[in-house]
Amino acid sequence: MTREPEETVASKITRILAERIVSGALAPGEKLRQDHIAAEFGASHVPVREAFRRLEARGLAASEPRRGTRVASFDPAEMREVAEMRSALEALALRHAVPHLTAAMLAEAERAADEADRCRDIRSWEAANRRFHRLLLAPCGMSRLLRTIDDLHAASARFLFGGSAAAWEPRVDVEHRAILAALRKGDADAACATLARHVKRIGPLPRRARVEQGGYPLFG
C-alpha cells in the first residue's frame, strides 16, 4: 500500500487497518472499535473516524446504523466486479503507458515476473505479481487512475488470501511473458488485449486448460 510523503495520523491508521483487512488479520464482519483503535494509535476519535471513512470509500469497511463500522464482507459477484474493473482500467493505463515504456523498464518488469514465478507461497507471489503490474502501468502518469487500480489490487489480494489460498499453487505465468513480448515488439493492441484478458479471469480453470495455459488465473 502506498504511503503519503508526510503521513497524517488518519493516513497511518487507514494504511495499517487496510493492510490488516487485506491480509485477513481482520476478518470479514469483524467490528472496528473506535475506542480500541484510538488507544492503540494514541489518537483521538477524529482521525479514527476519518480512517473509517476512507476504508469505506475503498470498499474495505461498512458502517451500519446502531452497529458501528465493520470489516466489509465479499462475495463472488464482488469478485467479478473487481476483475471487470481491473480489466478495463489496467488496459487503459497500459495504453497510456506504452509511449513511455523503456527497455530498462521492461527489463525490471521481467525481473518482477521472474520473481513471481519463483515464489512458493501466496503472499510473496501476490507482492511480486502486483509489482509486475505496477511497473508496466506507472508510466501512464495518471495518478487518479493508478490509485483506483491500487485499490482494486488490494481487493484482489483480499479475495485471494481470504478464499483461495488453499487452491493456489506455484506456477509460471505465461501471460506475463506474452504481455512483455508484445510490448517489446511495439504491439500495444496485443499487449493491452492480453492484459485485459489476464486480469479478467477469476477462479481456477479446469485442469486441462491450466496445463495448456501454464498458469493459475485467479486475479493475475
Side-chain angles (χ1 to χ4, degrees):
M1 312 224 169
T2 303
R3 299 190 187 192
E4 298 177 13
E6 294 183 3
E7 196 171 44
T8 64
V9 175
S11 297
K12 179 180 179 180
I13 295 171
T14 303
R15 174 177 57 81
I16 293 175
L17 291 181
E19 289 170 353
R20 293 174 184 175
I21 292 169
V22 169
S23 70
L26 289 172
E30 186 171 342
K31 189 169 184 178
L32 299 175
R33 301 181 183 277
Q34 277 194 43
D35 290 343
H36 293 178
I37 293 170
E40 177 184 351
F41 289 93
S44 70
H45 284 199
V46 174
V48 176
R49 285 195 293 268
E50 173 61 17
F52 286 1
R53 186 192 66 77
R54 295 182 187 185
L55 291 171
E56 286 187 65
R58 295 171 63 178
L60 296 176
S63 61
E64 302 173 350
R66 296 180 296 279
R67 295 189 63 189
T69 302
R70 297 178 181 273
V71 176
S73 59
F74 53 82
D75 57 34
E78 188 177 352
M79 292 171 63
R80 173 59 64 184
E81 180 183 6
V82 168
E84 294 276 358
M85 290 178 68
R86 275 191 59 194
S87 176
L89 296 183
E90 291 196 33
L92 174 63
L94 183 60
R95 178 76 62 181
H96 285 273
V98 164
H100 309 290
L101 286 168
T102 65
M105 291 174 180
L106 293 178
E108 188 175 1
E110 185 167 27
R111 286 192 291 272
D114 289 341
E115 181 183 351
D117 290 346
R118 291 193 298 269
C119 288
R120 291 298 178 263
D121 68 89
I122 192 169
R123 293 184 188 277
S124 59
W125 173 83
E126 192 280 330
N129 178 69
R130 191 188 303 206
R131 180 168 172 264
F132 170 82
H133 285 258
R134 181 74 186 194
L135 286 167
L136 292 182
L137 304 182
C140 77
M142 304 169 75
S143 58
R144 183 172 296 185
L145 176 60
L146 291 171
R147 285 196 300 271
T148 301
I149 291 171
D150 283 346
D151 285 347
L152 293 171
H153 269 274
S156 297
R158 186 173 176 231
F159 299 145
L160 185 65
F161 298 153
S164 304
W168 185 86
E169 61 187 38
R171 92 280 191 162
V172 172
D173 197 322
V174 296
E175 288 184 330
H176 282 175
R177 309 299 171 179
I179 293 166
L180 289 170
L183 290 171
R184 284 176 169 138
K185 291 178 183 176
D187 192 342
D189 289 340
C192 291
T194 304
L195 176 63
R197 183 174 62 250
H198 174 63
V199 300
K200 190 174 183 179
R201 194 185 301 126
I202 64 172
L205 291 172
R207 175 175 292 275
R208 179 179 175 184
R210 286 170 62 186
V211 171
E212 290 173 351
Q213 297 189 25
Y216 183 84
L218 180 60
F219 293 115

